Amino acid sequence: MSSFAACIFDLDGVIVDTARYHFSAWRRLANELGFDFTEEENEQLKGVGRMQSLELILSWGGKELTSGEKMEWSVKKNEWYLDLIKEMDEAEILPGTVHFLDELRANKIKVALGSASKNARTILGRIGLTNYFDAIVDGNLTTNPKPHPEVFLKGANAVQVAPESCVVFEDALKGVEAAIAGGMHVIGVGKPEILTEADHVISSLKEMSFAKLNNILKEKTIIT
Ligand code: BG6
Ligand code: MG
């Protein structure tokens, strides 16, 4: 292909650092159920949907709940999480994001969001970035969690770009796998030793620009 036509962004961990708020709310849940879990264990929750995260946490604590109780606790966790992010504003946008989004728009590249979060629209609104996105696909629109490619394929479809012309930005290994499963190119945002399957890894969007992305894709002979 001669060029790429769309970028699809994960939200949590790429555009905004919500992991610490999720951790704090999940930890409160674990503590109220009488156990605790570590920051290392929390790493495994990145990119993982709400109910699936709850299942993992309960397994770490050796707790069994009925499906009704699980529903109640997941609602509580989300209330605590929403309370933690209620003061969130544009100051929490991760460095480099706005500049890169501006460049993509100036170069007529479609921009989509592909997030597991059911709070994605609330967060984008709070940080003032909603209008940058031509399409928003979140946890309310998907049934298959990452590493299933559904969220990214829906994003590509919404902006009418073929998967092979899309570049995904992801901080979670499961998200990187989802992008690959969807036939897309993927820039990992985080640690190269974790995001081993990504085409290229950056530590944050601060390291990214339209020119750099073109160079990376050319080097990999993804574009000509
Ligand atoms: C992902 C986060 O983006 O969304 C996970 O990485 C989170 O940590 C998941 O559990 C679901 O989010 P929410 O906001 O719907 O509970
Ligand atoms: Mg993420």
Side-chain angles (χ1 to χ4, degrees), residues 8-224:
I8 308 181
F9 293 86
D10 172 48
L11 176 68
D12 295 310
V14 173
I15 290 176
V16 72
D17 177 21
T18 45
R20 60 205 166 102
Y21 300 124
H22 279 295
F23 182 42
S24 157
W26 282 129
R27 223 175 149 200
R28 178 165 172 191
L29 174 144
N31 292 170
E32 293 201 9
L33 286 169
F35 65 97
D36 204 359
F37 66 95
T38 63
E39 213 160 342
E40 285 70 49
E41 285 170 317
N42 186 58
E43 280 296 305
Q44 297 177 44
L45 302 178
K46 286 188 178 167
V48 178
R50 200 180 302 166
M51 286 315 275
Q52 220 188 336
S53 301
L54 176 62
E55 297 285 358
L56 273 170
I57 293 164
L58 293 174
S59 75
W60 297 335
K63 276 264 165 204
E64 280 185 24
L65 299 180
T66 64
S67 55
E69 287 168 335
K70 282 179 195 165
M71 197 50 84
E72 281 167 27
W73 282 103
S74 77
V75 168
K76 274 193 204 175
K77 182 267 170 179
N78 196 51
E79 282 167 359
W80 297 329
Y81 175 68
L82 288 175
D83 195 47
L84 289 167
I85 63 164
K86 72 173 187 292
E87 309 278 320
M88 184 179 257
D89 60 17
E90 61 274 9
E92 297 215 27
I93 301 172
L94 288 170
T97 307
V98 175
H99 179 251
F100 186 47
L101 290 175
D102 277 332
E103 281 195 320
L104 292 176
R105 266 159 62 129
N107 287 282
K108 308 259 180 300
I109 304 295
K110 294 281 183 199
V111 174
L113 190 88
S115 168
S117 173
K118 292 185 169 158
N119 297 303
R121 279 185 181 272
T122 305
I123 293 172
L124 280 185
R126 228 158 258 180
I127 60 178
L129 290 187
T130 310
N131 291 338
Y132 276 94
F133 291 84
D134 299 298
I136 296 171
V137 182
D138 63 16
N140 298 296
L141 298 176
T142 50
T143 45
N144 301 291
K146 298 170 185 177
H148 191 286
E150 182 186 16
V151 67
F152 295 134
L153 289 174
K154 283 195 167 157
N157 191 47
V159 294
Q160 295 190 300
V161 172
E164 62 268 27
S165 299
C166 293
V167 180
V168 169
F169 290 81
E170 249 297 345
D171 72 312
L173 180 57
K174 286 193 175 72
V176 169
E177 289 167 351
I180 294 169
M184 301 176 188
H185 309 290
V186 52
I187 304 291
V189 182
K191 296 194 174 109
E193 60 273 26
I194 294 175
L195 306 173
T196 47
E197 291 170 45
D199 291 299
H200 183 83
V201 180
I202 53 175
S203 63
S204 86
L205 288 178
K206 213 173 163 186
E207 279 172 43
M208 195 36 70
S209 69
F210 183 66
K212 274 188 197 156
L213 182 55
N214 273 288
N215 286 341
I216 292 164
L217 298 176
K218 274 182 195 153
E219 254 172 46
K220 304 263 169 195
T221 64
I222 291 169
I223 60 170
T224 49

